[in-house]
């Protein structure tokens, strides 16, 4: 009788327990490394930004007040019970849904709005700055710098990060706060209102309490969120009352949304859809097709008659603007030069020869070529 000895087996349960700490440590190191890499990411043109071009000519407005309501979701912006002022502006102005790209944080959103370039080009911090001492100053051209070159006076009232971001952009007057709640917003509005009847031609006003309510007071489905949105709407009313919309232009938008439980930063659709409402001089009233966040800066350039920000990737919203055919031709010519300069700088930065095929517009065809080159480079 032959005896069979049972082979030794490894206790898989015990092995799993032993491996769990290693897996957890590996996951932590991987996630930490990825976050660090994103924090340290720089645009390929960070040290070689394209040079700005010529101005676009006669402005369409006397001044532009650009109001950024931080974290205002698109669905909240259309709730007439809490935003009646915005609804009134929508009824007399131009409006559309606006789309952004990840990461859905304020720092890359603000940079995209003001440069007209997406986060991989505009050299924004991919996460919000870790502290006030580590805010990245713009390396790419922006609409405030364009206004300075055109001899226009500008002002900013809002969160403290704007001061460092725009340190080299020629802002003439500023009020900056580290507060994020209603009390801070009241100070922001009080500082900005006198500018709306002065010599300033581009005024940025940042309202932050909606984002604060989302993070600290229950998220977008809470009553606190609705109360903050209603207060922000009232502040928009104060701004509108100071402007002469026969001569001035008021634009209201957001930098990102928030998920229902509060928070943002990822690729959730609700965090990447924002309102765009513009009323006053230069705009043709009506509802328009969806736009992209990069379209804001070139549209501001047309309104003010400045040059296009040199790294601009967006389309000026000419369908919304009261421009004559000869002006359209001039704008397209300036855009063609700007895109050629951008293409040359980007091609040199990534070491790729980029061929542009004919397209609907010079901007869309150039941006398609740049995107294909970027994907090709990444694939290799």
């Amino acid at each position: 009788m032959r005896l069979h000895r049972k082979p030794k087996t490894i206790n898989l349960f015990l092995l799993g327990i032993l491996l769990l700490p290693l897996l957890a440590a590996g996951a932590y190191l991987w996630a930490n490394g990825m976050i660090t890499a994103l924090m340290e990411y720089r645009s390929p043109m960070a040290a070689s930004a394209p040079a700005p071009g010529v101005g676009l000519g006669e402005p369409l407005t006397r001044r532009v007040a650009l109001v950024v309501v931080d974290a205002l979701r698109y669905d909240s912006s259309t709730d007439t019970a809490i935003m009646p002022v915005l609804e009134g502006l929508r009824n007399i102005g131009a409006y559309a849904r606006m789309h952004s790209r990840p990461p859905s944080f304020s720092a890359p959103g603000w940079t995209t709005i003001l440069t007209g370039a997406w986060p991989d080009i505009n050299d924004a911090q991919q996460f919000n700055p870790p502290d006030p001492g580590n805010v990245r100053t713009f390396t790419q051209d922006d609409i405030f710098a364009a206004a300075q070159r055109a001899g226009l006076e500008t002002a900013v009232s809002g969160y403290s990060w704007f001061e460092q971001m725009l340190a080299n952009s020629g802002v003439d007057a500023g009020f900056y706060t580290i507060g994020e709640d209603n009390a801070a917003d009241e100070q922001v509005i009080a500082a900005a209102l006198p500018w709306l009847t002065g010599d300033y031609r581009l005024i940025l006003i940042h309202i932050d309490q909606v984002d604060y309510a989302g993070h600290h007071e229950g998220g977008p489905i809470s009553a606190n969120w609705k109360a903050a949105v209603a207060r922000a709407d009232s502040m928009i009313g104060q701004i509108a009352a100071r402007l002469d919309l026969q001569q001035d232009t008021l634009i209201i938008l957001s930098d990102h949304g928030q998920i229902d439980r509060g928070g943002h930063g990822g690729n959730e659709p609700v965090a990447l859809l924002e309102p765009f409402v513009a009323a006053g001089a230069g705009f043709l009233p009506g509802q328009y097709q969806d736009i992209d966040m990069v379209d804001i800066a070139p549209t501001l350039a047309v309104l003010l008659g400045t040059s296009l920000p040199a790294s601009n990737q967006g389309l000026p919203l000419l369908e919304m603007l009261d421009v004559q055919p000869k002006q359209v031709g001039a704008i397209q010519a300036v855009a063609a030069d700007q895109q050629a300069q951008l293409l040359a700088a980007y091609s040199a930065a990534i070491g790729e020869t980029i061929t542009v095929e004919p397209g609907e517009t010079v901007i869309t065809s150039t941006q398609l070529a740049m995107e294909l080159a970027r994907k090709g480079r990444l694939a290799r």
Side-chain angles (χ1 to χ4, degrees):
M1 182 176 178
R2 182 176 296 176
L3 297 176
H4 294 279
R5 184 175 294 175
K6 188 176 181 181
K8 293 182 179 180
T9 60
I10 299 174
N11 189 316
L12 295 180
F13 179 74
L14 179 60
L15 180 62
I17 292 176
L18 293 174
L19 288 177
L20 276 177
L22 294 176
L23 291 173
Y28 171 79
L29 292 173
W30 174 80
N32 194 54
M34 183 176 66
I35 291 172
T36 300
L38 284 171
M39 286 289 287
E40 295 176 351
Y41 173 81
R42 302 305 300 261
S43 165
M45 301 190 302
S48 56
V54 300
L56 290 166
E58 288 297 313
L60 304 181
T61 183
R62 181 174 62 177
R63 68 169 53 86
V64 176
L66 176 64
V67 180
V68 179
V69 183
D70 205 298
L72 179 63
R73 288 184 6 168
Y74 181 80
D75 55 358
S76 295
S77 77
T78 59
D79 187 340
T80 59
I82 54 175
M83 297 205 83
V85 173
L86 189 60
E87 177 66 12
L89 291 169
R90 192 181 286 112
N91 288 337
I92 64 170
Y95 61 99
R97 300 193 310 171
M98 185 172 75
H99 297 270
S100 57
R101 291 182 182 177
S104 52
F105 289 112
S106 290
W110 298 350
T111 311
T112 299
I113 289 167
L114 298 179
T115 64
W118 291 117
D120 63 309
I121 295 291
N122 66 33
D123 202 32
Q125 289 167 284
Q126 301 299 296
F127 291 91
N128 286 336
D131 56 70
N134 286 283
V135 180
R136 187 179 299 170
T137 301
F138 286 174
T139 64
Q140 304 303 299
D141 192 26
D142 67 273
I143 190 61
F144 279 90
Q148 181 193 39
R149 292 192 296 269
L152 306 180
E153 293 191 41
T154 61
V156 176
S157 187
Y159 197 64
S160 62
W161 294 343
F162 282 107
E163 183 175 19
Q164 185 60 33
M165 286 179 170
L166 295 165
N168 297 329
S169 301
V171 177
D172 296 289
F175 173 82
Y176 306 101
T177 178
I178 59 172
E180 304 172 61
D181 57 6
N182 182 57
D185 282 349
E186 288 178 345
Q187 294 177 328
V188 165
I189 297 300
L193 289 179
W195 300 338
L196 301 175
T197 54
D199 295 328
Y200 300 104
R201 297 294 177 255
L202 174 61
I203 304 105
L204 187 153
I205 304 170
H206 172 240
I207 298 173
D208 209 6
Q209 64 183 288
V210 177
D211 189 58
Y212 182 85
H215 285 295
H216 306 292
E217 297 181 337
I221 59 175
S222 71
N224 291 326
W225 170 278
K226 290 186 177 182
V229 171
R231 290 191 296 266
D233 188 67
S234 178
M235 291 174 176
I236 293 169
Q238 294 179 57
I239 296 166
R242 287 291 183 103
L243 297 170
D244 176 1
L245 294 182
Q246 296 298 315
Q247 302 182 77
D248 305 326
T249 308
L250 175 58
I251 297 175
I252 300 97
L253 46 75
S254 177
D255 52 354
H256 57 76
Q258 283 207 14
I259 58 176
D260 285 351
R261 67 177 181 270
H264 54 90
N267 62 354
E268 296 87 355
V270 73
L272 299 172
L273 181 66
E274 302 86 15
F276 173 85
V277 179
F283 274 94
L284 302 172
Q287 182 177 6
Y288 292 87
Q289 292 183 346
D290 291 12
I291 66 172
D292 288 324
M293 188 174 277
V294 289
D295 299 337
I296 303 305
T299 303
L300 292 172
V302 175
L303 287 166
L304 295 167
T306 70
S307 60
L308 294 168
S311 298
N312 169 64
Q313 297 178 277
L315 295 165
L317 300 172
L318 298 181
E319 68 277 11
M320 297 186 188
L321 299 178
D322 187 13
V323 290
Q324 302 302 313
K326 68 176 184 178
Q327 291 175 289
V328 173
I331 292 166
Q332 290 173 340
V334 171
D337 290 340
Q338 181 263 319
Q339 290 292 292
Q341 291 288 335
L342 172 60
L343 184 69
Y346 186 70
S347 176
I350 68 171
E352 295 284 329
T353 299
I354 303 175
T355 302
V356 179
E357 301 293 340
E360 183 179 353
T361 71
V362 67
I363 295 177
T364 55
S365 57
T366 302
Q367 292 312 306
L368 176 60
M370 287 175 58
E371 178 65 13
L372 292 174
R374 185 183 73 87
K375 289 181 177 178
R377 171 77 182 221
L378 291 174
R380 288 192 294 277

